[in-house]
Amino acid sequence: MEPQHKSVHAYSRVVVWLAAILLGLLATALHGARLGTLTIRGEESRRARVAYEMLETGDFVVPRQQGEIYLSRPPLGSWLIALSAAATGGFDAVSVRLPSLVATVAITLGIFAYARQFVSVVGAFAGGLAFASMIQVLELGRMAESEAVFTALLAGALLAWHGSYAAGARPALVWSAGYTLAALAGLAKGPQGPVYFVAVTVAFLVVRRDWGFLFSPGHLLGGLLFVLVIGAWQVPFTSAVGWDATLAIWGQNAAVRYANPGAWAFAEHLLLFPIEVWAAMLPWSVLLVAFASPNFRRELGSARTPASFVLVAVAVTFPTCWFAIEARTRYFMPLYPCLSVLAGIVVDRVRLALPAERISHFWLHYVRVLGLFAIGMGGVVAIATWFGLGGQSVLTQPPLFAGLYLLLSVAIGVTLVRSSPWSAGARAAAAMCLVAGFIGLSTVGLRLNELVRKSVPTARQVAEVKGQIPPKVKLVSLGRVHHLFAFHYSDTIRPVGWPPAAEDADFEYFCFDQHAAYPPVLPFAWQRLADVRCDRRINSPPQMMVIVGRRLRAEERLTYHPSQAPIYEAGSAAPRRREDRL
């Protein structure tokens, strides 16, 4: 067998560039297809609303919601959304999600560049594609949440640091690159990024006993760059809002993850969280099983270097999520690129393995099982759709799409099942492209169709509300209103005190979040104009509702007609009875 270290760089620049371009195109297709189809949801509107107010006020230092300081996390994510909106000319779903798409494609190519130092083009390509087509990455890598940008920056910091360290670069360059990206990761989501970077790099150098590199002047230079990058925003922010707000924006979200819910809940989390993370990285997490084989680990060759680094990174960071009872799998997503490198190593070993070796058999079984799954999934979707057996599940699709999905799934599945000679070279990469294509088709097709079908039409409801309010009249909110409503309303909604005093109510149209079965008691008579749902799914019981109302003058109460929207008297939590309306 050819030693791996002799074949790592045995490729022309043309082949390397073609592989990188193909990988970038595949990642863009997987995450960019139908980017604006799904409605804005979850935390997307919160980040986008902060960006909107930044452009509206010109204040890019202090994040705000409805003009009030918003201390969820530092503002890098909103900066990027604001930049995207300014470049594209609006705050639609595509412009809001564009930074996440760019970040996901960038770290996919970053994985390729990093892995290329240690494995073949095939292995590096496989590592990048594995990350881009993991189930949870396909879900979050295209959304305007914090995870995509944060993952790109933190994983980029770790891979850039270790890649340049392994290449023998000067300590000043290694630490400067790593700390700069770690600082940006901190500005994206808070302390997790810098803490992970420092903990992993220091632990790795301690394990290697490389004290000279750890305590080099270059490390000090990197730390100074970190302070400068953070300080460029932190100093004006603290000057504007003070130290209490500074501590809150860096620490309040992290603190709640370590609540104490009891021994049973904690034990359940310890048991399930590793399984959930493994499932979130499917289908490529299956390949990581190969590292359980001592024979496989002995044959790593030059790939032992990145494998050792990833092992240290996971060992240092995983407990911070594992022992946090409120942690979700997406909190560990910044380490998925590192684990994707391990998947690429497995594919690279397949390239070098002889047909009789276990790793070759393992690969073939893996590919064939996925092929059978693709065929079965295509058939199940078609039958469930055409015969009305899918109900409201993801199996129910538009009939034409179900037919197309069946054809493509069967074609991909049959090709994978018949892949017996595919044990080396570009054929292994081709098999991965087919698997990624099927996962992408299922996510951007089946899953997205289901989400679109079940999404609450909040944007349309808000537009109808806005049409009922005179153009020059300003809407106010009693307390801060739900961010999805505020995002779609577009115009700034001024918050007033809750509850407002009757004599201080200088507004006519208002809105508020409803947190109970009945609306709150207000000190003035008002008319209920609309109920706007801000939930993600229309088939679930309403959880997030914004009530829009209009304050009534005394003469309007006397001329009220039962055909109009219900009115509430001052101090009443129930609408006027029908007999009282006549």
Side-chain angles (χ1 to χ4, degrees):
M1 188 194 314
E2 181 185 7
Q4 185 167 333
H5 67 275
K6 290 184 179 180
S7 59
V8 168
H9 299 291
Y11 296 87
S12 68
R13 290 186 177 181
V14 174
V15 172
V16 175
W17 277 104
L18 287 177
I21 292 172
L22 176 59
L23 179 61
L25 292 175
L26 287 172
T28 302
L30 286 170
H31 292 269
R34 305 179 72 189
L35 187 63
T37 301
L38 188 62
T39 58
I40 295 291
R41 59 211 292 112
E43 294 296 304
E44 290 185 304
S45 52
R46 196 189 300 275
R47 314 296 169 221
R49 186 63 210 179
V50 172
Y52 183 93
E53 296 194 25
M54 286 179 172
L55 289 177
E56 185 179 48
T57 64
D59 182 2
F60 290 85
V61 174
V62 181
R64 298 181 187 275
Q65 290 267 14
Q66 295 181 247
E68 297 181 345
I69 299 174
Y70 180 65
L71 301 176
S72 173
R73 63 197 59 194
L76 179 61
S78 295
W79 288 345
L80 296 177
I81 293 175
L83 178 63
S84 174
T88 58
F91 278 86
D92 58 12
V94 173
S95 63
V96 168
R97 292 168 178 158
L98 188 58
S100 293
L101 170 63
V102 173
T104 300
V105 175
I107 190 57
T108 298
L109 294 175
I111 295 168
F112 176 85
Y114 169 79
R116 183 67 193 93
Q117 294 182 248
F118 313 102
V119 298
S120 68
V121 169
V122 175
F125 180 88
L129 189 60
F131 171 77
S133 54
M134 286 178 175
I135 289 178
Q136 188 161 53
V137 175
L138 280 170
E139 176 188 357
L140 295 176
R142 56 192 287 122
M143 306 297 287
E145 305 267 3
S146 303
E147 276 69 27
V149 172
F150 179 62
T151 294
L153 292 171
L154 177 52
L158 293 172
L159 297 182
W161 182 89
H162 183 252
S164 54
Y165 170 83
R170 294 182 178 181
L173 177 62
V174 175
W175 287 113
S176 296
Y179 269 115
T180 299
L181 289 171
L184 294 175
L187 290 176
K189 200 177 179 180
Q192 183 184 5
V195 170
Y196 273 19
F197 174 75
V198 173
V200 170
T201 54
V202 170
F204 180 75
L205 293 175
V206 169
V207 169
R208 290 180 60 87
R209 298 182 180 180
D210 193 344
W211 310 112
F213 201 91
L214 177 60
F215 297 107
S216 66
H219 194 169
L220 178 61
L221 176 61
L224 290 175
L225 281 176
F226 174 86
V227 172
L228 288 175
V229 172
I230 295 289
W233 165 76
Q234 189 67 72
V235 171
F237 176 83
T238 303
S239 300
V241 298
W243 282 105
D244 288 342
T246 298
L247 295 176
I249 202 169
W250 283 100
Q252 68 179 7
N253 279 350
V256 299
R257 310 303 180 196
Y258 292 89
N260 182 15
W264 175 253
F266 183 65
E268 183 181 24
H269 178 76
L270 290 181
L271 174 64
L272 295 180
F273 187 74
I275 300 174
E276 292 169 350
V277 171
W278 186 83
M281 295 189 295
L282 286 172
W284 310 111
S285 52
V286 176
L287 296 179
L288 305 185
V289 175
F291 282 86
S293 168
N295 291 333
F296 178 82
R297 296 196 301 272
R298 281 195 294 268
E299 297 294 330
L300 287 177
S302 61
R304 187 179 306 278
T305 301
S308 300
F309 178 72
V310 171
L311 179 62
V312 171
V314 172
V316 170
T317 59
F318 190 75
T320 64
C321 295
W322 197 15
F323 298 145
I325 189 64
E326 294 295 329
R328 301 293 181 265
T329 54
R330 66 176 183 269
Y331 300 166
F332 198 64
M333 185 171 154
L335 271 295
Y336 291 1
C338 297
L339 292 165
S340 299
V341 173
L342 300 186
I345 292 173
V346 174
V347 176
D348 194 62
R349 285 290 301 119
V350 170
R351 181 186 66 85
L352 296 172
L354 298 175
E357 291 190 52
R358 287 187 177 183
I359 186 63
S360 181
H361 293 167
F362 170 72
W363 170 257
L364 292 178
H365 292 323
Y366 169 77
V367 169
R368 288 174 178 174
V369 168
L370 288 178
L372 292 173
F373 178 79
I375 295 172
M377 192 67 184
V380 168
V381 169
I383 293 172
T385 298
W386 294 338
F387 293 95
L389 303 177
Q392 295 297 315
S393 71
V394 69
L395 300 178
T396 301
Q397 297 290 320
L400 290 178
F401 178 80
L404 177 63
Y405 182 78
L406 173 63
L407 291 176
L408 293 176
S409 297
V410 169
I412 291 172
V414 169
T415 305
L416 291 174
V417 170
R418 299 181 61 185
S419 62
S420 56
W422 291 23
S423 60
R427 293 178 176 179
M432 287 202 56
C433 287
L434 290 175
V435 173
F438 171 71
I439 300 299
L441 177 65
S442 300
T443 303
V444 179
L446 299 185
R447 176 62 171 161
L448 191 55
N449 286 343
E450 181 202 20
L451 291 176
V452 169
R453 183 175 69 246
K454 295 181 178 180
S455 293
V456 176
T458 305
R460 175 173 56 80
Q461 294 176 6
V462 174
E464 292 172 355
V465 166
K466 201 168 184 179
Q468 299 182 54
I469 301 175
K472 295 183 179 181
V473 175
K474 296 294 185 180
L475 181 69
V476 304
S477 64
L478 309 184
R480 185 180 290 167
V481 75
H482 193 278
H483 48 85
L484 184 60
F485 181 91
F487 171 78
H488 286 303
Y489 195 81
S490 181
D491 296 342
T492 299
I493 302 173
R494 178 175 62 90
V496 298
W498 176 268
E503 61 275 10
D504 295 334
D506 59 347
F507 53 82
E508 181 179 3
Y509 291 87
F510 61 93
C511 59
F512 56 86
D513 289 351
Q514 179 174 327
H515 299 292
Y518 297 97
V521 175
L522 298 179
F524 49 77
W526 61 284
Q527 183 180 12
R528 187 167 181 158
L529 299 180
D531 298 354
V532 178
R533 284 191 63 177
C534 294
D535 300 306
R536 298 191 186 200
R537 293 175 175 265
I538 199 169
N539 59 338
S540 62
Q543 298 291 327
M544 304 176 188
M545 188 79 74
V546 173
I547 309 300
V548 181
R550 185 173 74 91
R551 189 184 179 197
L552 296 178
R553 298 184 296 272
E555 58 272 21
E556 289 181 304
R557 295 167 55 202
L558 297 176
T559 60
Y560 175 75
H561 191 273
S563 63
Q564 296 175 330
I567 68 170
Y568 296 78
E569 298 289 356
S572 175
R576 183 187 293 181
R577 295 176 301 173
R578 179 176 178 82
E579 55 269 27
D580 295 334
R581 300 175 187 175
L582 302 177

